[in-house]
């Protein structure tokens, strides 16, 4: 039996703000979506245009508070061919939340506080 890694999910409070962030910061674009018939939730799957793995954003109409991210010890990682330009762009956006020059990586935070690791392509 074999399994294929398909997507990760995160819940977001402001779907439009999150879609704009992921498009600008990481170049992710919607590839499919599903809306509940009663409007209680919406799922938007984002892709990078190069692979099959997707990021699922879940918006819940009746959610009225920030999500509890615990110690925020989990993250998604993104690779880039132009690390220096990416870091400059993310600094200009004001979204860099942690840099680790010794490891050659940094993290950005999305509108809900999820951390996203950026690393150079090896």
């Amino acid at each position: 039996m074999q399994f294929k890694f398909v997507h990760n999910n995160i819940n977001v409070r402001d779907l439009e703000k999150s879609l704009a962030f992921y498009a600008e910061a990481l170049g992710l674009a919607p590839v499919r979506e599903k809306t509940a018939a009663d409007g209680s939730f919406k799922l938007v799957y984002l892709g990078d245009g190069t692979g099959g793995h997707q990021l699922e954003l879940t918006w819940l109409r009746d959610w009225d508070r920030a999500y509890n991210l615990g110690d925020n010890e989990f993250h998604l990682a993104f690779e880039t061919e132009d690390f220096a330009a990416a870091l400059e762009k993310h600094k200009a956006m004001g979204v860099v939340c942690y840099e680790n020059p010794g490891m050659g990586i940094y993290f950005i935070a999305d509108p809900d506080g999820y951390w996203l690791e950026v690393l150079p392509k090896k």
Side-chain angles (χ1 to χ4, degrees):
M1 181 180 326
Q2 186 174 357
F3 296 89
K4 179 182 177 185
F5 200 36
V6 181
H7 71 262
N8 287 80
N9 166 264
I10 60 173
N11 287 24
V12 300
R13 293 199 58 206
D14 184 330
L15 184 57
E16 294 308 315
K17 187 175 183 180
S18 292
L19 288 170
F21 169 83
Y22 282 97
E24 181 180 354
L26 298 166
L28 301 183
V31 294
R32 66 185 170 104
E33 57 185 64
K34 175 183 172 114
T35 303
D38 66 359
S40 61
F41 71 86
K42 185 171 186 175
L43 309 175
V44 179
Y45 295 83
L46 305 177
D48 63 11
T50 64
H53 192 86
Q54 299 172 349
L55 176 59
E56 174 188 358
L57 303 182
T58 298
W59 170 81
L60 303 172
R61 177 189 61 207
D62 298 328
W63 195 262
D64 63 355
R65 61 198 176 279
Y67 285 99
N68 180 349
L69 303 183
D71 291 329
N72 210 3
E73 286 295 323
F74 69 95
H75 65 271
L76 301 175
F78 294 84
E79 196 175 67
T80 181
E81 290 187 12
D82 194 342
F83 184 82
L87 179 57
E88 183 178 317
K89 174 182 183 148
H90 292 142
K91 283 185 174 183
M93 289 176 65
V95 297
V96 174
C97 57
Y98 180 75
E99 289 184 67
N100 188 329
M103 290 183 67
I105 63 171
Y106 68 93
F107 290 82
I108 60 175
D110 86 348
D112 289 282
Y114 294 103
W115 281 30
L116 309 158
E117 180 180 359
V118 179
L119 55 140
K121 186 169 184 174
K122 296 180 182 189

